[in-house]
Amino acid sequence: MATIVIFFPVLQGTLTYAVVGLISLAIIVELVLLTPAAVRRFRYTVALDGIHTSSGVLTTKTCFVPMQQLLVIEKNQGPILRTYGLVSIRLQVPGTFVDIDGVTEDAFAVLQEEVRSILSQHDRG
């Protein structure tokens, strides 16, 4: 490729502009289309057997946290999330954790109450 640029100096500027243009286009597509779509595509569900999460647009990721293995539910809120009234939830299980980002305080309270209710039913049953 370098030998082509040396033999054809006219293409050197054109090739540079093409590469910069493609990189710029990729960044714009990522920021404008894919990131908002990925945020809209994140889902979590609290069920009797555990917490199911799914996310992703081009590649999807699903995760299952068994209710009986759930150790800790952490709520984190930095200055940026606090500004928008959001929290980040970390579900800790033996050996790993699952993060749920950008959740409202009310949604966190509902999730926490649902988990408590399900675990108390398991303890009684």
Side-chain angles (χ1 to χ4, degrees), residues 41 43 51-56 59-65 98:
R41 179 59 188 91
R43 300 281 184 263
I51 300 172
H52 303 265
T53 65
S54 65
S55 63
T59 59
T60 58
K61 177 183 174 185
T62 59
C63 185
F64 173 69
V65 178
V98 175

Side-chain angles (χ1 to χ4, degrees), residues 1-38:
M1 185 83 177
T3 56
I4 294 173
V5 174
I6 293 172
F7 289 121
F8 301 106
V10 174
L11 293 178
Q12 185 174 7
T14 307
L15 187 61
T16 302
Y17 288 128
V19 170
V20 170
L22 287 175
I23 291 172
S24 300
L25 181 64
I27 291 171
I28 290 169
V29 166
E30 172 70 26
L31 292 176
V32 173
L33 299 176
L34 296 180
T35 301

